[in-house]
Amino acid sequence: MCGIVGLFVGCSTHSHCPKKLILDSAAPASEEAEAGTPVVPAPDNSGYNSPFRSWDTRASVRSTERRTLREGDAARPYFSPELVPLARHKYIQDLRPDLYDEVLIQHLYRYLDFTMKLEHLVVNRTALGIAQATVGVAVPEDMRFDAYKVYCDEAYHALFSMDLLRQVRQRTGIEPRLPELPYFLRRLQELQEEAGAENRHLMELVFVIVSETLISGSLMELPQDGDVVPAVREVLRDHALDEGRHHTYFAIFLKYLWGQLGPSERRTAALMVPRLIHTFLRPDTDAMRAELEGYGFAREAARQVVAEVLPETLIRESARSSATQTIRLFSFLGALDLPEVAAEFQDQGLT
Ligand SMILES: [Fe+2]
Ligand SMILES: [Fe+2]
């Protein structure tokens, strides 16, 4: 409802309220560590090579027009069928043409909803924390300034995702069949509960690093498909270009974070990575089953279709190949040197 909602007693967002974090950072020195304010001096700018040097001319929010549906789009698919797991199943291909088209549209809605929630509810909280120096990691001032740009980019990604969703809904008359929370958010909350209050914040930082270094790969495929509605391709291409800069930025941020963690915190953070990779990359199979039940599929048939198009082996293999670069970043810092960390990556099917 408002930017200061977390100041109200009993508010569920209290611990993450941006204003609370900023006010806490102004607490007396003895409380600084607890408030999350960096206790090491900020590194100077000379060691920071900004990936945002051409942001003013290249960022989507600065350089692209609003992406809109056009006349004639009705004959085109709203998502590449090859990238929609449900569309691979014979039962789905045998549906009435209008229902088959809806499966592609619901996949687009799920993707856009995922993006809006990721940007607004997770990534931008970290971007704001870096910008306002409340994140607990000391970074050069230029890097803090770049966090303002990340914040603008992510807000714009959420905006153009909602804009596109509303345009498609208006054009097609198809209402989104969305879960209250997408899988990644439910799973992240679960893992944060398990991690306990002392590691909750660290887990969110690691999740943002993981997601920001994984996301660029997931955005590259669809824009190549010339059949898909142009506005959808353009939105994904705009997003991918911005995320290329974010990938570099968060790889640098990871180095600063790692340099400021003690051995035991590094171990804790490294052990989080494999599960957070799966949290981000795992398809929302619950939402897919619910979608199928919404079309009239019996519960067991819906379960069977989803299990057949997305067997566990495929989900694991796809995560492993998508996560190669992210794993390399952590590996380069020595995060996988501890045998128990290496074993966790292996147990999770990532190495
Ligand atoms: Fe984004
Ligand atoms: Fe991003």
Side-chain angles (χ1 to χ4, degrees):
M1 187 175 75
C2 71
I4 57 167
V5 67
L7 292 180
F8 294 101
V9 174
C11 174
S12 62
T13 63
H14 181 72
S15 62
H16 304 295
C17 171
K19 188 166 180 181
K20 178 181 184 301
L21 291 171
I22 294 166
L23 292 176
D24 282 352
S25 74
S30 60
E31 295 172 23
E32 279 188 355
E34 197 178 326
T37 304
V39 290
V40 293
D44 70 50
N45 290 322
S46 61
Y48 175 60
N49 190 10
S50 170
F52 290 86
R53 289 186 302 281
S54 54
W55 185 85
D56 283 303
T57 50
R58 296 247 174 108
S60 298
V61 66
R62 286 269 203 251
S63 63
T64 62
E65 63 206 40
R66 180 182 175 226
R67 305 305 190 184
T68 51
L69 299 180
R70 294 154 208 172
E71 294 305 319
D73 283 349
R76 293 168 175 270
Y78 282 91
F79 217 90
S80 305
E82 305 81 59
L83 300 177
V84 177
L86 288 178
R88 292 198 290 265
H89 201 281
K90 186 167 182 332
Y91 287 0
I92 305 300
Q93 291 166 354
D94 289 346
L95 289 172
R96 294 191 325 255
D98 60 318
L99 265 189
Y100 177 80
D101 290 345
E102 179 170 345
V103 170
L104 305 185
I105 290 167
Q106 292 296 344
H107 190 87
L108 173 66
Y109 286 158
R110 249 192 321 273
Y111 167 75
L112 296 172
D113 181 60
F114 176 105
T115 303
M116 287 182 274
K117 294 204 162 71
L118 175 73
E119 314 293 38
H120 266 168
L121 302 180
V122 187
V123 180
N124 259 358
R125 220 159 52 186
T126 291
L128 187 149
I130 299 171
Q132 295 296 331
T134 58
V135 80
V137 183
V139 298
E141 187 193 315
D142 283 357
M143 195 167 187
R144 277 181 58 197
F145 183 55
D146 282 347
Y148 286 72
K149 298 170 188 168
V150 173
Y151 191 87
C152 287
D153 286 346
E154 303 298 25
Y156 187 54
H157 301 161
L159 169 66
F160 65 41
S161 297
M162 189 56 173
D163 187 12
L164 185 60
L165 184 149
R166 284 159 50 96
Q167 290 182 55
V168 175
R169 183 180 62 190
Q170 191 180 20
R171 174 71 64 93
T172 63
I174 293 172
E175 287 297 322
R177 302 171 186 266
L178 294 169
E180 195 177 333
L181 287 179
Y183 168 79
F184 89 89
L185 259 186
R186 285 183 281 126
R187 182 66 180 144
L188 178 60
Q189 285 173 357
E190 255 173 41
L191 290 172
Q192 285 184 299
E193 290 297 316
E194 284 170 24
E198 70 278 19
N199 290 319
R200 194 181 172 85
H201 175 65
L202 178 62
M203 180 170 275
E204 187 157 314
L205 284 186
V206 176
F207 178 76
V208 169
I209 292 165
V210 163
S211 64
E212 287 292 298
T213 54
L214 285 170
I215 197 171
S216 47
S218 66
L219 286 165
M220 296 313 284
E221 289 177 76
L222 184 131
Q224 323 287 342
D225 185 344
D227 286 342
V228 171
V229 167
V232 174
R233 279 190 280 129
E234 289 158 1
V235 158
L236 267 83
R237 190 187 308 114
D238 294 343
H239 198 169
L241 291 173
D242 287 341
E243 290 304 331
R245 282 181 283 277
H246 295 192
H247 177 108
T248 308
Y249 180 86
F250 279 96
I252 298 169
F253 180 73
L254 171 62
K255 287 186 192 161
Y256 283 110
L257 168 69
W258 216 251
Q260 290 166 41
L261 296 179
S264 133
E265 291 168 307
R266 286 184 185 175
R267 176 186 163 278
T268 303
L271 284 169
M272 292 172 180
V273 174
R275 280 163 214 262
L276 292 176
I277 288 173
H278 286 305
T279 298
F280 182 80
L281 289 175
R282 190 177 179 83
D284 196 340
T285 48
D286 294 337
M288 290 180 202
R289 280 191 292 270
E291 179 194 342
L292 294 182
E293 288 177 36
Y295 300 142
F297 279 74
R299 175 171 288 215
E300 179 51 27
R303 191 203 61 73
Q304 185 194 340
V305 168
V306 173
E308 286 178 11
V309 292
L310 286 170
E312 276 303 313
T313 47
L314 180 67
I315 292 176
R316 290 263 167 154
E317 176 49 35
S318 161
R320 197 186 60 74
S321 79
S322 300
T324 311
Q325 275 194 56
T326 300
I327 294 170
R328 199 175 295 141
L329 289 174
F330 281 92
S331 182
F332 184 74
L333 294 168
L336 277 73
D337 291 353
L338 281 177
E340 61 200 298
V341 174
E344 176 66 3
F345 273 79
Q346 201 161 30
D347 288 351
Q348 295 292 324
L350 293 170
T351 53

